[in-house]
Amino acid sequence: MRYLLLFLSLWLSANDAAHTFAPNKACQACHTQIYEEFTTSMHMHSTPQKDPIHNAVWSKHPANKKMQHYGCGKCHTPAADNLDDMLQKGKKALPELENTTQQDGISCAYCHRIEEIELHKKHNTNIISKREKAYFGTRKEHIDSPYHAIMTENNKHMKNGNVCVGCHSHKMNKHKLNVCSTNIDNEMDGANCVSCHMPKVKGSVSTLHETQTHTFHGFAGSHSNMEMLSQYVDISLLRQIDDFVVNIDNRSSHALLLHPLRVAVLKVSVTRDGKTVRLKDALFVRVIGRDGKPAMPWKANTTLKDTMIKANEKRSVRYDYHLKSGDQVDLVLGWYLVNPKALKALDLQDTSVATEFKVFKQETIKI
């Protein structure tokens, strides 16, 4: 039975990788603004050559060092022409800068050909339509394209935002630890992955079909376009007699940050009579590890610490500081993409994207 399951797994991987996808560049002429947004996104920069944080982790992965196959390719380079070789143990196939099908990242054609999502305990799998130049979408009113077919009917995953959960739902390692999970159930008429991370913005969907708005393809997230998501998190202050409380209200349907490398920080300062006092930072993390110490995702078998702000949670942070009339309190909520404690181990201490503090939300309050 075990060998049968292994055969089926390899067959499915090979069958999925047998697809040929149109290159991203083919979309540029008609979908000009969407293409420009996409080129700045982490979907376009999902490969080790384009994402220094992913590269730092991947460079230490045993699949890279010993087996030389790219298991991450299932989600990071799904349109690669040699994806089957990258995923199968025993075959050597690593990400290459010269391979344009790999460097297209999570490509336009790949996402728009997701026909079904297979749910699995370890990680989900995207089932790709066999029609090479026929793309799923959500716009009800569209024209016939001279370059490809447009399919807007009967794809519930595009309509309810579940098109993202083939890769962004969960990832369980061999130790049965869910390394990174959104734990999200998208609703047809409510907030979902697409409505929050790909909101409607000004600009035409294409040069052939002029529209007032289109769906944003820069993919708002922890790396960029964070202002699009700040509306789902509120920070406020409650003054008390001898102290005060900062409330963080996360109204989104998943944790504030998902990746275990991230660390969110609440920075609070009080200005009185022209002098500013910086209070102690509040940190929110999820640390995974093994034997009581932080560990890489493939080694970790437990969660050592989890103070991350959860979905629909209102977190209160108390400060033992007496506020006076006339004080100004500055609240800043943001994050580091890499926990500063992990920078040296990943050799990222001189990499700006890993060391930069990203401001997500800020408020200035006059007492």
Side-chain angles (χ1 to χ4, degrees):
M1 183 66 179
R2 185 180 64 179
Y3 294 107
L4 175 60
L5 291 174
L6 177 60
F7 170 79
L8 287 173
S9 175
L10 294 177
W11 183 86
L12 284 171
S13 295
N15 183 57
D16 188 51
H19 295 290
T20 300
F21 297 93
N24 293 333
K25 267 285 187 182
C27 308
Q28 183 179 16
C30 296
H31 303 281
T32 308
Q33 187 171 339
I34 288 176
Y35 179 81
E36 289 303 316
E37 293 165 355
F38 175 78
T39 57
T40 67
S41 74
M42 290 309 297
H43 276 201
M44 180 65 177
H45 293 82
S46 62
T47 66
Q49 291 84 359
K50 294 180 179 179
D51 180 2
I53 296 175
H54 177 45
N55 184 59
V57 176
W58 170 244
S59 66
K60 297 181 179 297
H61 201 291
N64 179 20
K65 285 190 165 185
K66 298 178 181 179
M67 296 172 275
Q68 293 186 306
H69 75 98
Y70 187 52
C72 305
K74 179 178 182 289
C75 286
H76 281 258
T77 59
D81 58 3
N82 62 340
L83 183 62
D84 53 345
D85 290 344
M86 298 173 95
L87 298 181
Q88 290 187 37
K89 293 180 180 179
K91 291 191 176 183
K92 295 184 178 181
L94 294 173
E96 299 173 346
L97 186 61
E98 298 77 17
N99 187 321
T100 56
T101 66
Q102 294 176 10
Q103 296 308 319
D104 264 358
I106 306 159
S107 74
C108 308
Y110 178 82
C111 283
H112 283 276
R113 282 175 60 189
I114 296 175
E115 187 171 43
E116 193 62 64
I117 312 290
E118 278 189 356
L119 306 180
H120 298 281
K121 188 173 182 179
K122 187 174 181 181
H123 49 70
N124 293 340
T125 297
N126 292 323
I127 304 302
I128 303 301
S129 167
K130 291 180 170 59
R131 296 180 63 187
E132 284 191 11
K133 291 189 177 181
Y135 303 125
F136 296 108
T138 58
R139 186 171 289 276
K140 293 180 181 179
E141 296 180 1
H142 61 81
I143 63 170
D144 291 332
S145 168
Y147 304 105
H148 59 78
I150 303 171
M151 301 181 288
T152 59
E153 298 82 16
N154 303 322
N155 190 325
K156 61 182 180 180
H157 301 292
M158 281 282 175
K159 293 178 180 179
N160 65 13
N162 273 332
V163 68
C164 307
V165 302
C167 287
H168 288 284
S169 172
H170 60 282
K171 174 67 171 71
M172 189 173 290
N173 67 11
K174 65 180 180 180
H175 305 294
K176 298 183 179 180
L177 176 67
N178 199 346
V179 174
C180 184
S181 175
T182 56
N183 288 313
I184 184 173
D185 292 318
N186 287 316
E187 299 176 3
M188 184 67 74
D189 299 319
N192 57 54
C193 300
V194 171
S195 66
C196 294
H197 294 270
M198 301 178 67
K200 294 292 183 182
V201 294
K202 292 181 179 179
S204 182
V205 68
S206 77
T207 57
L208 298 178
H209 183 196
E210 291 293 331
T211 60
Q212 294 297 312
T213 63
H214 67 274
T215 301
F216 181 67
H217 280 68
F219 305 101
S222 59
H223 281 78
S224 59
N225 303 297
M226 299 178 295
E227 68 282 356
M228 291 182 172
L229 302 173
S230 62
Q231 62 179 305
Y232 303 107
V233 179
D234 293 322
I235 51 177
S236 59
L237 182 146
L238 175 62
R239 181 188 179 189
Q240 302 181 135
I241 296 175
D242 295 318
D243 58 18
F244 68 92
V245 173
V246 176
N247 291 312
I248 304 172
D249 187 6
N250 178 22
R251 292 179 286 103
S252 68
S253 52
H254 58 70
L256 184 64
L257 294 172
L258 302 171
H259 199 293
L261 266 183
R262 317 279 191 247
V263 53
V265 185
L266 174 64
K267 298 175 182 282
V268 178
S269 59
V270 180
T271 302
R272 178 182 297 166
D273 299 328
K275 295 181 180 180
T276 300
V277 176
R278 172 86 176 271
L279 304 183
K280 185 178 180 181
D281 292 345
L283 306 181
F284 312 102
V285 297
R286 177 174 177 256
V287 181
I288 58 175
R290 188 182 188 91
D291 300 327
K293 298 179 180 179
M296 288 294 188
W298 54 90
K299 291 183 179 180
N301 60 5
T302 189
T303 297
L304 300 177
K305 182 179 182 180
D306 189 358
T307 60
M308 187 56 66
I309 301 170
K310 305 298 188 297
N312 299 305
E313 179 188 359
K314 190 171 185 177
R315 182 73 61 87
S316 296
V317 182
R318 178 182 171 276
Y319 291 87
D320 187 15
Y321 191 96
H322 178 64
L323 294 175
K324 295 181 178 181
S325 180
D327 287 350
Q328 175 181 300
V329 184
D330 290 293
L331 310 175
V332 179
L333 178 65
W335 50 69
Y336 295 100
L337 293 174
V338 176
N339 191 322
K341 293 182 179 180
L343 288 171
K344 187 175 180 180
L346 292 170
D347 196 25
L348 287 170
Q349 58 268 46
D350 298 320
T351 304
S352 59
V353 69
T355 57
E356 174 191 3
F357 178 72
K358 291 184 169 291
V359 175
F360 176 60
K361 188 109 179 182
Q362 51 189 340
E363 299 285 348
T364 297
I365 300 167
K366 299 284 187 177
I367 305 300

